[in-house]
Amino acid sequence: MEKIKQFIDNDTIVGLMAYDVVIERSDSGRLVAKLMAPVMRSIDDIDSAMLEFPKGFTAYMYENGDTSPISMIRGDYGVNYQKKELVVAKNNVMVKNIDSEEVMETQTLFWDQKKKKIYTGGLIKISSPDKLIYGDSMIAKEDFSRREIFGIKATLELDDDE
């Protein structure tokens, strides 16, 4: 019986798995962000606490308690380092500003939740209704409303006919 108690004691469990997860973050009772994932692994040890999303995730950002999101981040894989308040998204990462219809695509994205910034050191492609922009890296507000692109490779203006 003592061995069974040790096995199920919360202090000995270092990881949990959950399915069809929805995590909501609020500030003063107002919805700020919502993250959804088909699978989540919680890994909690002495050095760090992290949530892993091995089958991808989609996160929505909200403003002023609105019920409609203003932006979205999606990746095929993700890790949330809880103590650092840092999310790393990998593989087919997409960020969308819903109002401007701008979409950024890259392979790795860092989301600093403390500073409310997203950034990448990898190649990016930004699509909007009237242009395409290619660059080497980028830093932006988490809602993708303001951004700074580094090493711009090309900016292509699109005609209405295209």
Side-chain angles (χ1 to χ4, degrees), residues 7-162:
F7 181 73
I8 61 173
D9 185 11
N10 284 340
D11 293 339
T12 63
I13 298 174
V14 295
L16 300 171
M17 187 170 283
Y19 298 93
D20 298 322
V21 175
V22 176
I23 300 171
E24 293 182 343
R25 186 175 80 194
S26 63
D27 183 8
S28 303
R30 294 183 175 178
L31 183 61
V32 176
K34 182 191 298 188
L35 184 140
M36 296 174 292
V39 177
M40 179 189 80
R41 283 190 197 123
S42 172
I43 302 167
D44 213 0
D45 62 23
I46 295 169
D47 297 327
S48 67
M50 65 184 223
L51 302 175
E52 180 186 33
F53 307 99
K55 297 200 181 257
F57 72 94
T58 302
Y60 294 95
M61 269 58 75
Y62 297 82
E63 188 174 70
N64 299 328
D66 288 343
T67 56
S68 298
I70 57 171
S71 63
M72 182 262 295
I73 299 173
R74 186 194 67 69
D76 287 349
Y77 174 84
V79 177
N80 179 353
Y81 297 97
Q82 294 177 293
K83 291 180 183 176
K84 295 179 182 178
E85 293 185 51
L86 177 70
V87 175
V88 180
K90 292 186 177 187
N91 306 329
N92 300 310
V93 178
M94 182 181 80
V95 178
K96 181 176 184 177
N97 180 301
I98 294 169
D99 289 338
S100 68
E101 298 181 24
E102 292 179 311
V103 176
M104 191 271 300
E105 298 170 78
T106 190
Q107 287 302 307
T108 302
L109 182 80
F110 300 91
W111 175 14
D112 187 328
Q113 294 175 315
K114 280 185 205 174
K115 295 180 181 177
K116 298 184 178 189
K117 299 273 185 192
I118 57 173
Y119 56 93
T120 181
L123 297 175
I124 62 162
K125 173 186 169 186
I126 298 175
S127 311
S128 69
D130 61 345
K131 70 174 96 169
L132 288 173
I133 302 171
Y134 295 90
D136 286 339
S137 58
M138 179 212 66
I139 187 167
K141 289 178 64 176
E142 71 181 354
D143 64 5
F144 200 53
S145 61
R146 301 183 98 191
R147 65 180 180 268
E148 188 174 354
I149 303 166
F150 304 99
I152 293 177
K153 300 293 182 198
T155 300
L156 307 170
E157 300 290 330
L158 303 176
D159 292 333
D160 290 339
D161 299 336
E162 290 183 41

